């Protein structure tokens, strides 16, 4: 569960020759430092892929477009990791501003497909379904950088919410194992998350996420065995060390864990 507050060491910026993060000024206990809007482009190309333009914040969109224009490029494609407002609310407005198509899971006739290879100006981006945080969550591999853009599936700091009832713990665990397989195969060594700093050690982070989920699940199981009858009662026990500002989100994750335990007693 995130909620640790903003990290003054993360303000976005360039993470490789192909990737730059423009940080949206919407920090909160749930968004950490703010939403990371990623600009991706092959060196020498004049076309940019934008991942998660963020909330409907005209100043942020203008900043994103200024960063693109400053390199002599244009936005050729917009991708969404999932439909939550802090990532996707501005998608239609950004399309109006750029004319670039917007692609995501579940937006209509041009849905992203599992394993699809997107090529824009020499840049290759691979589509990896990672449902669980939400049913429409998807991640993107940038093979030339061995990085995975994870949206809210894996964060740069802390852990994420399984946003029940749309989110599913079973699907989320499967997604973490899918990412783990990519790290073991060497195709992914770093993570470019939707919130929080760039992650230099993808394998260690995914191992931590899997261990954390297993520990939380056992804590929820123990709380129920001890008499907790509602998700809120479980949160009071299991998430007592988490700021109360994120308890409503924790309750969603607990609901997802309770559903998982009913299906996997």
């Amino acid at each position: 569960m995130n909620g640790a507050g903003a990290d003054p060491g993360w303000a976005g910026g360039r993470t490789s020759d192909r990737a730059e993060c423009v940080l949206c000024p919407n920090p909160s206990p749930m968004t950490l430092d703010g939403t990371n809007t990623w600009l991706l482009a092959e060196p020498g190309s004049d076309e940019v892929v934008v991942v998660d333009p963020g909330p409907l914040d005209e100043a942020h969109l203008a900043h994103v477009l200024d960063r693109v224009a400053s390199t002599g490029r244009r936005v050729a494609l917009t991708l969404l990791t999932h439909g939550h407002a802090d990532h996707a609310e501005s998608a239609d407005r950004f399309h109006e501003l750029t004319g670039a198509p917007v692609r995501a899971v579940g937006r209509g006739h041009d849905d992203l497909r599992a394993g699809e290879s997107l090529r824009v100006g020499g840049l290759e981006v691979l589509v990896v379904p990672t449902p669980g945080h939400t049913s429409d969550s998807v991640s993107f591999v940038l093979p030339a950088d061995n990085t995975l853009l994870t949206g809210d599936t894996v964060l740069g700091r802390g852990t994420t919410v399984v946003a029940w009832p749309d989110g599913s713990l079973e699907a989320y665990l499967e997604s973490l194992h899918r990412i783990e397989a990519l790290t073991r195969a060497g195709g992914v060594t770093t993570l470019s998350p939707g919130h929080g700093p760039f992650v230099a050690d993808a394998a260690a982070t995914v191992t931590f996420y899997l261990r954390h989920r297993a520990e939380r699940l056992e804590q929820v199981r123990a709380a129920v065995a001890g008499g907790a009858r509602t998700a809120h009662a479980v949160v009071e026990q299991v998430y007592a060390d988490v700021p109360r500002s994120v308890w409503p989100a924790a309750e969603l994750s607990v609901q997802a864990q309770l559903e998982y335990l009913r299906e996997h007693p």
Side-chain angles (χ1 to χ4, degrees), residues 186-211:
V188 169
T189 59
T190 61
L191 304 175
S192 300
H195 301 284
F198 177 80
V199 175
D201 190 340
T205 299
V206 174
T207 296
F208 162 74
Y209 264 60
L210 285 166
R211 184 175 65 247

Side-chain angles (χ1 to χ4, degrees), residues 137-250:
S137 288
V138 65
S139 298
F140 302 104
V141 178
L142 199 58
D145 283 357
N146 296 109
T147 197
L148 183 71
L149 290 96
T150 56
D152 281 358
T153 299
V154 179
L155 304 179
R157 185 177 63 255
T159 57
T160 195
V161 174
V162 178
W164 183 90
D166 180 53
S168 158
L169 181 58
E170 184 164 10
Y172 185 68
L173 293 175
E174 290 173 356
S175 293
L176 290 181
H177 283 297
R178 189 172 299 121
I179 296 172
E180 182 183 45
L182 292 173
T183 67
R184 287 181 173 173
V188 169
T189 59
T190 61
L191 304 175
S192 300
H195 301 284
F198 177 80
V199 175
D201 190 340
T205 299
V206 174
T207 296
F208 162 74
Y209 264 60
L210 285 166
R211 184 175 65 247
H212 170 79
R213 285 294 166 189
E215 291 171 352
R216 281 295 197 215
L217 197 58
E218 287 309 306
Q219 291 169 348
V220 171
R221 193 192 305 271
V224 171
R229 293 290 174 258
T230 65
H232 184 74
V234 173
V235 169
E236 288 180 320
Q237 292 186 42
V238 174
Y239 291 84
D241 60 336
V242 172
R244 285 180 175 265
S245 60
V246 298
W247 274 22

Side-chain angles (χ1 to χ4, degrees), residues 80 92 102-113 116 136:
L80 305 178
D92 290 342
V102 178
R103 298 196 62 194
V105 171
R107 278 182 66 90
H109 69 282
D110 201 21
D111 285 7
L112 295 166
R113 301 185 304 276
E116 184 175 1
D136 65 347

